[in-house]
């Protein structure tokens, strides 16, 4: 027997929003009056029977009850039903109807009014009353609805026998009078069909209507669904066409079957058991079922339908209906015949009248006849058909008692029957026998529910264990009980409020889904007087035996804890107390854990709380309170278990976390437990050392833009628990054990230490972040003066020593601002804490921490930590023998070297901070660490400095580098050699760089300081070479901007060693330029001119402007490579300082940039020059926009094959016999380029670019074209463009002037022809030629003046040109005589005028 409180069993579903509106709608202002014509069917059956003097019990509801009494117990006086999905609640009185729908409002379900009204138009009689109502959801057949209800049909039963079907909005769909008698019950039964073996097959659905006179109407579920859908559609269509609703609803009928229960004095309830097939082997049962004791069975066994009827005499009758046996009654045949005759007669009369044109006459003179026929047709259609009489095959007789209600289980195997003597009987539906009986439940209401075991994690396809239970509600005793049908075990017995109304579900979803889900939200509901709706929540474990039930109870409580953690809001809504605070929630959790009966389940619950990730987290205090309470409530034998020890360990970690959180949130204290100065003096560091170090540390830390991150610390207690584990160690004495750790069951000889899970060996970034947060939580209060030194020591003593040192080192390096690492006091606190942590630690144990400092990029913090290790780690170590002392000395030497290296890197960073370019951030610069510095090899300092310079963090021109590194420096810096380091136990003094400006002199002095720090590795050539390579690398990321490429070439030009220049140039060509240049040459060869920008963007990923600058820079680079005298000097040797020498790095063979440069093999100078010529051609085509030029076609096939091969190879660059087409193409190209050079200069009014002229002469010389030929073309183009002064100067450079003189004389004739033709009139033109000699005139007319590039020529320029030509001509030639005639003519007829 299980007694439970009502709030544990009854779960609140929702409530009615406005109860007063319900009373007003249902007419409870005054007491309802009972009708004398017919009994009130809203009351209990036994109360209605009392009116017929069949029983002596006085009805509980009399007609003289006051209105207040009816209102107070209003749930007893209404018809009520709820849909299976819990969406609609139907409340009705004798005439008034109220439909409520469920909606969510502020996280709770509220039933609000959807429709209210009266259905008094069903019958013309004034005595019409509602006797029953049923909510029938109809499932949607659309695939997208997932089988959810499409609409809900409300079925009403009336005293007149009508059954009305309405929508949930109050619209009438259909009404039909199946029998002229009062409707008693309407039920939709979804019963599984049974086979002879008892197995259940598909579900069968039937709507069963019970009338007062014992008539049972059964409508097939499929037919009902199809009819209602059709009726609803027809009604909507008729209303849209303007027809009245009443014209349609009664003209349609629903096919049904109708039976009369014989030998029954009164009926009050009915249940249908569906169809079944009789076993062919049970002859006696077959005979009894089909015809009684004298019947015999022959042939195939028919299928039959069963239903049970509850009432009086017999108390319960079992009726069998053989399918296909019933025949139409005589009345039904007469009705069908009359209907057909009337229809045929009406149709024939109307057709005849229309044929002879008498339709109007017929309507005027015989309207009553037609109306009478239509009324007769309607009356015949709606007339109830005659029932089929069935006999009860077996019954349960009890003459003195009346069965008031009957309810069947979901499986259809059992039924519960109530009578007027307070008994509840459990019937076996198959045999009709009473299996079990309960007494003492006056006016009981019963329902069924099925409990399913959902605890087993079995596959969804396997069947789950289920138990059918009977719900018995005794309203007079205010008692609600739940019993199992099979074993008769009472599961629940609770006291309920007065006026509670049981609402068993009267209908499942129609049609029943194939998957077997009935669509029920719950299995039954309860409505109380306040309008709240409840359902039952019965755990499955109550159905098991006591031992199994205990385990199931614990499992159920564990599930409750899980739901409490995952759905805290739902937990509060379901709780009777409503919304609660954090302490109340903890109390609920304590109650759940406290109800568990074994320690294993409680441990699982505690672990679930620890592992939960709910938004509303339970605090550490709540969890500690739960653990301590459970430990105190344990039995003596359970306190020594491993689970209790784990709880105590958990409580210790939570207490540790709470203390750390409290310390972190404390305000900083200005009072010191010890003098700060004494902390500094206690270490090996002096105050002067700290004073010299702090400015450098502060400068670099401030430039790093490090902001405090304590506000980002998000380490909750669950994560804290996952990071620590407890290690138990033996204590020397009991006195050492603190009282706060003395919990019940703890051995006082044990103490607890915490060990980090993972620690510094954490692999993922998330784990490292958590460890860092843990370190800040542990150490930040100490450095921020929130706790004293002694308290800090107490905390760290609870952790393993090595883990604490590693954690402190990580926090100091990564969160330096949080622990105040940039002040004297912060460094002193670190020093003092290190004194305690490094006590009795061996030197070899410090190697791990030295490696951490070597990998750190936070140089200021690493240097201060290194000094703290040096000042404390070797003062407490005592050597016992010579070998151990030697090991200590070696370890200390390594720490001294580390401090010197960190000091040097700090000075390098200080230099960067001082010369940081405006707009740049120090935090964005390339980070540096000791390990990386050593791994880079001999040019590490130059590489870092070049990286900063290339990215624009420091702006140092090449001239400043050359000046600083090639002049003597007077800066005195103390450098210690390896011998000095071995003798001296102290690190180097700190390098100080004064405040300096960006003057060139100051920059030179600062560079000299850096040169002193790296006297061997930091040289001008090394720095310039690294700067060049870094700039080219940055340019390659954005090739559109060639500024970086040009700047890199400027640095490369200042390199002194030709081997370095040659090697760096080769590496740049191979890595960045060769492939791009090849693509450009191929594209230009294909196009035959300067390509358009879109072609460059497609093939080279550069614009045409960027390509021009790129070709120029590449040309300069290859000239540097070609001009480098590689074999003239010996290969240089690059060294590094002893301080930075690393045997491991040297063994790996990693080479620096300059070392790789000098290792490059000597290049083939002719091949390099071959590429220089090609680049000149490409650049000229792009720069001057030349057309009809294919650059690769200017070379023979051997020369083309040699392009873009490795410069160390020696391919054939040319053939001996070059075809004339190639030679002509070369001359044409040279002419086009010369013309373009001079034209560009003339258009821009400037001198021609001498560089371009020299490059063209170089190309011509490479092609073995005479220099005079190129210079001759150049002079002619200058004179043709009117640049006579430049032409006269270039004229002097020509050695063989005879070809040039001929060309110039022709040009002079063109000028003369042009000047002559520009006369003001035709008369002047004729006069000019008339004064010329015949020879001169014919010569002038033979030349074309339009061939001149510039027409702006005067007579004086023409005269001077002819005179200069005559000076170098042979006097015996015709050209000389022609020049003389020209000079004479110009002097006589032009200049003199």
């Amino acid at each position: 027997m299980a007694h439970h409180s009502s709030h544990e069993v009854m779960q609140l579903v929702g409530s009615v929003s406005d109860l007063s509106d319900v009373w007003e709608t249902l007419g409870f202002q005054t007491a309802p009056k009972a009708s004398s014509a017919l009994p009130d069917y809203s009351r209990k059956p036994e109360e209605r029977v009392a009116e017929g003097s069949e029983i002596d019990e006085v009805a509980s509801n009399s007609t003289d009850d006051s209105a207040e009494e009816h209102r107070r117990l209003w749930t007893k006086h209404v018809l009520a039903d709820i849909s299976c999905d819990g969406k609609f609640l139907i409340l009705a009185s004798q005439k008034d109807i109220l439909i409520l729908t469920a909606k969510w409002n502020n996280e709770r379900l509220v039933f609000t009014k959807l429709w209210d009204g009266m259905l008094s138009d069903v019958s013309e009689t004034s005595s019409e009353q509602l006797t029953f109502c049923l909510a029938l959801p109809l499932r949607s057949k659309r695939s997208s609805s997932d089988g959810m209800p499409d609409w809900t049909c409300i079925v009403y039963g009336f005293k007149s026998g009508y059954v009305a079907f309405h929508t949930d909005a109050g619209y009438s769909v259909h009404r039909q009078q199946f029998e002229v008698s009062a409707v008693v019950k309407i039920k939709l039964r979804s019963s599984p069909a049974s086979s002879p073996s008892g197995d259940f097959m598909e579900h069968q659905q039937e709507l069963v209507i019970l009338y007062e006179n014992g008539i049972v109407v059964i409508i097939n579920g499929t037919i009902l669904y199809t009819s209602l859908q059709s009726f609803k559609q027809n009604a909507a269509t008729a209303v849209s066409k303007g027809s009245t609703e009443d014209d349609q609803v009664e003209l349609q009928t629903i096919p049904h079957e109708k039976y009369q229960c014989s030998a029954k004095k009164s009926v009050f309830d009915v249940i249908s058991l569906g169809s079944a097939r009789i076993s062919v082997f049970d002859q006696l049962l077959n005979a009894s079922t089909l015809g009684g004791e004298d019947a015999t069975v022959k042939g195939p066994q028919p299928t039959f339908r069963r239903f049970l009827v509850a009432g009086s005499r017999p108390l319960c009758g079992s009726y069998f209906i053989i399918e296909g046996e019933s025949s139409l009654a005589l009345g039904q045949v007469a009705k069908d015949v009359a209907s057909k005759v009337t229809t045929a007669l009406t149709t024939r009369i109307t057709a005849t009248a229309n044929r002879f044109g008498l339709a109007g006459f017929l309507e005027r003179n015989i309207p009553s006849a037609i109306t009478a026929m239509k009324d007769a047709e309607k009356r015949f259609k709606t007339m109830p058909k005659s029932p089929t009489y069935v006999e009860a095959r077996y019954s349960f007789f009890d003459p003195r008692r009346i069965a008031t209600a009957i309810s069947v289980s979901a499986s259809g195997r059992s039924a519960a029957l109530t009578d007027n003597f307070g008994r509840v009987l459990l019937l076996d539906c198959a045999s009709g026998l009473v299996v079990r009986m309960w007494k003492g439940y006056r006016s009981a209401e019963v329902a069924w529910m099925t409990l399913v075991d959902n605890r087993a994690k079995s596959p969804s396809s396997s069947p789950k264990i289920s138990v059918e239970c009977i719900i018995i509600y005794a309203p007079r005793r205010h008692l609600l009980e739940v019993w199992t049908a099979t074993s008769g075990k009472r599961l629940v017995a609770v006291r309920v409020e007065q006026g509670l109304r049981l609402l068993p579900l009267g209908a499942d979803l129609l049609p029943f889904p194939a998957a077997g889900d009935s669509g029920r939200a719950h299995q039954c509901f309860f409505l109380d007087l306040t309008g709240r709706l409840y359902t039952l929540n019965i755990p499955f474990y109550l159905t098991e035996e006591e031992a199994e039930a205990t385990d199931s109870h614990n499992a159920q409580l564990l599930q409750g804890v899980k739901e409490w953690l995952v759905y805290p809001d739902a937990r509060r809504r379901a709780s009777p107390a409503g919304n609660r605070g954090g302490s109340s929630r903890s109390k609920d959790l304590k109650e759940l854990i406290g109800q568990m009966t074994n320690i294993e389940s409680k441990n699982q619950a505690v672990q679930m709380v620890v592992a939960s990730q709910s938004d509303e987290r339970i605090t550490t205090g709540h969890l500690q309170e739960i653990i301590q309470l459970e430990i105190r409530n344990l039995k003596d034998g359970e306190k020594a278990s491993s689970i209790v020890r784990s709880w105590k360990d958990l409580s210790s970690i939570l207490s540790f976390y709470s203390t750390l959180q409290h310390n972190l949130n404390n305000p900083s204290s200005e009072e010191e437990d010890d003098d700060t100065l004494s902390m500094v003096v206690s270490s090996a560091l002096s105050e002067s050392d700290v004073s010299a170090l702090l400015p450098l540390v502060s400068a670099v830390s401030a430039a790093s833009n490090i902001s405090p991150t304590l506000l980002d610390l998000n380490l909750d207690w669950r994560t804290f628990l996952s990071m620590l584990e407890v290690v138990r160690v033996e204590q020397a004495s009991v006195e050492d054990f603190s009282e706060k750790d003395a919990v019940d069951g703890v051995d006082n000889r044990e103490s607890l230490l915490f060990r980090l899970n993972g620690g510094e060996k954490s692999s993922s970034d998330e784990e490292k972040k958590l460890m860092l947060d843990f370190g800040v939580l542990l150490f930040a209060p100490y450095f921020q003066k929130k706790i004293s030194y002694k308290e800090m020591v107490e905390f760290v003593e609870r952790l393993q020593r090595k883990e604490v040192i590693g954690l402190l080192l990580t926090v100091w390096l990564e969160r330096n601002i949080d622990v105040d690492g940039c002040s004297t006091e912060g460094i002193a606190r670190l020093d003092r804490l290190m004194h305690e942590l490094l006590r009795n630690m061996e030197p070899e144990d410090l190697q791990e921490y030295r490696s951490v400092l070597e990998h750190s990029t936070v140089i200021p913090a690493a240097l201060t930590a290194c000094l703290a290790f040096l000042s404390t780690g070797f003062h407490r170590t005592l050597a016992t023998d010579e070998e151990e002392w030697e090991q200590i000395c070696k370890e200390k030497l390594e720490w001294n070297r580390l401090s010197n290296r960190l000091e040097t890197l700090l000075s390098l960073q200080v230099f960067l901070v001082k010369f940081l370019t405006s707009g740049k951030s120090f935090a964005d610069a390339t980070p540096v660490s000791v390990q990386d510095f050593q791994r880079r090899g001999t040019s590490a300092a130059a590489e870092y400095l070049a990286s900063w310079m290339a990215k624009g963090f420091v702006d140092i021109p090449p001239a400043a580098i050359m000046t600083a590194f090639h002049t003597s420096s007077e800066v005195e810096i103390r450098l210690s050699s390896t011998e000095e380091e071995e003798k001296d136990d102290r690190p180097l003094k700190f390098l100080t760089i004064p405040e300096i400006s960006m003057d060139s002199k100051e920059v030179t002095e600062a560079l000299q300081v850096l040169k002193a720090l790296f006297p061997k590795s930091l040289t001008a050539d090394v720095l310039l070479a690294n700067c060049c390579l870094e700039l080219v690398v940055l340019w390659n990321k954005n090739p559109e901007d060639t500024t970086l490429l040009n700047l890199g070439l400027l640095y490369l030009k200042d390199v002194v060693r030709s081997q370095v220049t040659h090697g760096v140039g080769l590496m740049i060509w191979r890595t960045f330029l060769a492939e791009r240049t090849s693509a450009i040459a191929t594209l230009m060869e294909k196009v035959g001119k300067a390509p358009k920008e879109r072609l460059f963007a497609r093939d080279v990923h550069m614009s045409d402007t960027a390509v021009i600058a790129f070709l120029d820079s590449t040309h300069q680079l290859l000239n540097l490579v070609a001009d480098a005298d590689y074999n003239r000097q010996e290969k240089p040797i690059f060294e590094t300082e002893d301080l930075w020498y690393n045997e491991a790095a040297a063994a790996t063979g990693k080479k620096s940039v300059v070392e790789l440069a000098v290792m490059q093999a000597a290049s083939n100078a002719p091949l390099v020059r071959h590429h220089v010529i090609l680049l000149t051609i490409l650049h000229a085509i792009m720069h001057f926009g030349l057309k009809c030029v294919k650059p690769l076609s200017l070379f023979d096939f051997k020369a083309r094959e040699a392009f873009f091969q490795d410069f160390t190879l020696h391919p054939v660059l040319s053939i001996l016999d070059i075809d004339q087409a190639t030679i002509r193409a070369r001359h044409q190209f040279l002419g086009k380029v010369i013309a373009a050079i001079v034209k560009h200069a003339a258009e821009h009014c400037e001198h021609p670019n001498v560089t371009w002229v020299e490059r063209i002469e170089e190309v011509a010389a490479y092609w073995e074209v005479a220099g005079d030929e190129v210079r001759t073309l150049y002079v002619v183009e200058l004179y043709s463009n009117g640049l006579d002064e430049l032409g006269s100067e270039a004229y002097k450079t020509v050695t063989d002037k005879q070809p040039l003189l001929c060309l110039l004389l022709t040009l002079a004739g063109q000028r003369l022809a042009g000047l002559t033709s520009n006369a003001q009139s035709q008369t002047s033109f004729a006069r000019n030629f008339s004064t010329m000699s015949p020879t001169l005139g014919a010569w002038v007319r033979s030349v074309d003046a339009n061939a001149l590039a510039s027409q702006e020529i005067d007579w004086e320029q023409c005269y001077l040109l002819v005179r200069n030509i005559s000076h170098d001509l042979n006097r015996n030639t015709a050209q000389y005589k022609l020049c003389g005639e020209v000079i004479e003519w110009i002097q006589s007829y032009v200049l003199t005028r």
Side-chain angles (χ1 to χ4, degrees), residues 141-180:
K141 290 189 175 181
R142 293 190 297 267
S143 58
S144 59
S145 63
D146 295 332
M148 298 301 294
D150 185 17
W151 62 289
T152 300
C153 179
I154 312 299
V155 186
Y156 302 100
F158 292 90
K159 185 175 64 175
S160 61
Y162 271 95
V163 177
F165 301 87
H166 287 243
T167 64
D168 51 29
Y171 296 104
S172 177
V173 174
H174 178 69
R175 61 176 174 264
Q176 186 173 347
Q177 190 178 28
F178 297 99
E179 176 64 22
V180 185

Side-chain angles (χ1 to χ4, degrees), residues 742-902:
V743 192
D744 294 342
V746 175
D747 190 354
N748 289 341
R749 293 172 299 175
E750 290 182 341
S751 63
L752 303 181
L753 288 180
F754 301 123
R755 182 171 59 194
L756 294 174
N757 289 326
E760 297 302 320
K761 298 180 181 179
S762 302
S763 57
S764 65
D765 294 338
E766 183 65 24
E767 293 177 351
K768 293 179 181 179
K769 174 66 170 55
L770 292 177
M771 296 304 299
L772 187 59
D773 290 345
F774 174 72
V776 173
L777 183 65
L778 180 63
F779 295 111
Y782 167 68
F783 285 100
Q784 295 178 357
K785 299 190 299 184
K786 296 181 178 180
I787 60 175
S788 63
Y789 168 74
K790 294 181 179 179
E791 292 175 327
M792 187 70 245
V793 172
E794 291 179 0
F795 288 136
V796 299
E797 285 182 348
R798 306 185 68 177
L799 297 169
Q800 292 189 353
R801 186 64 56 89
K802 290 184 178 180
E803 294 178 346
V804 173
I805 297 175
L807 200 58
L808 174 60
L809 192 57
T810 303
V811 172
W812 184 263
L813 295 177
E814 301 293 335
R815 304 284 279 271
N816 199 258
I817 295 296
D818 292 341
V819 295
D820 197 15
C822 298
S823 66
T824 305
E825 186 174 351
I827 296 175
R829 284 178 174 270
L830 173 68
D831 179 58
R832 187 175 187 187
L833 187 58
M834 281 294 185
H835 269 74
E836 176 64 28
L837 295 177
L838 297 177
R839 183 177 57 185
N840 298 330
M841 184 168 288
E842 298 300 328
E844 58 270 13
D845 297 334
L846 303 179
Q847 294 179 4
E848 179 182 355
Y849 310 120
R850 191 177 75 246
S851 176
V852 173
L853 295 179
E854 289 176 349
H855 286 81
S856 174
T857 58
V858 188
I859 302 302
L863 179 56
T864 54
C866 179
L867 296 176
F869 272 98
L870 274 172
S871 62
T872 60
F874 299 95
H875 288 278
R876 297 180 181 272
T877 304
L878 299 178
T880 57
D881 53 12
E882 182 178 355
E883 182 179 356
E884 186 175 355
W885 178 254
E886 182 179 357
Q887 183 179 1
I888 293 174
C889 293
K890 287 183 179 180
E891 184 64 26
K892 186 174 182 180
L893 177 60
E894 291 296 329
W895 280 93
N896 282 330
R897 286 180 177 175
L898 177 59
S899 66
N900 289 332
R901 291 166 180 168
L902 290 171

Side-chain angles (χ1 to χ4, degrees), residues 172 185 217 294 550 582 655 684 769 797 915 947 960 991 995 1028 1043 1128 1219 1295 1326:
S172 177
K185 293 283 185 178
V217 175
D294 298 330
T550 301
S655 177
K769 174 66 170 55
E797 285 182 348
F915 290 97
S947 175
L991 172 68
E995 292 291 337
C1028 173
T1043 305
R1128 189 181 63 183
D1219 60 297
T1295 304

